[in-house]
Amino acid sequence: MDCVFCKIVEKEIPSEIIYEDERVIAFEDLNPEAPTHFLVIPKKHISSTWELEKEDSELIGHIIYIGSKIAREKGLEEGYRIVNNCGEQGGQTVDHIHFHILGGRNLQWPPG
C-alpha cells in the first residue's frame, strides 16, 4: 500500500512523533495552521470516516481521547479544535483517516 501515513506508522518516513500506543500514533503537522497543530491517526488503515464500521467506534473514541490528552499536555486550556476532513470536497488530502488538533490562537468560524 502506498499510504504516507501507513509509512509513518511503520517508521519508513520520519516524523516528529509525540505519542504512540498499540492503536494510534500522534505527530506534529508538517505544515502547521496554528501554533499547535498535530495529527492523531489510527495504526489500522481506514481510508476516511466514510469507511468506518461499527467495530471502529471504540478506536475513534480513543483517538479523540488521546487528542484531548495531548492538548492538555500542550497547555491548550483556552481551547482547541479537532478537525476531520472526509473526501476530496471535504478537504481530505491523505486517504488515511486522521484528526487534526489545532490550538494556541483564536480559531475563526467558519473555517473555510
Side-chain angles (χ1 to χ4, degrees), residues 5 24 26 34 73 92 100:
F5 286 172
V24 303
E73 292 169 358
Q92 185 176 3
H100 298 260

Side-chain angles (χ1 to χ4, degrees), residues 26-107:
F27 52 92
E28 299 291 348
D29 194 288
L30 284 177
N31 300 301
E33 297 291 335
T36 299
H37 185 175
F38 61 93
L39 302 177
V40 183
I41 69 168
K43 289 183 172 182
K44 172 185 176 183
H45 183 85
I46 303 169
S47 294
S48 72
T49 54
W50 190 255
E51 303 298 324
L52 287 172
E53 302 287 339
K54 183 173 177 57
E55 59 267 14
D56 297 318
S57 298
E58 196 277 332
L59 175 61
I60 299 306
H62 183 65
I63 289 170
I64 300 301
Y65 168 73
I66 294 302
S68 65
K69 177 181 181 288
I70 296 168
R72 284 191 300 276
E73 292 169 358
K74 289 183 169 282
L76 298 180
E77 62 276 343
E78 296 294 318
Y80 58 94
R81 182 172 292 159
I82 300 173
V83 177
N84 170 263
N85 300 317
C86 182
E88 186 178 336
Q89 287 190 356
Q92 185 176 3
T93 58
V94 177
D95 288 332
H96 185 122
I97 192 171
H98 56 284
F99 294 80
H100 298 260
I101 290 78
L102 302 103
R105 69 171 170 82
N106 187 13
L107 300 167

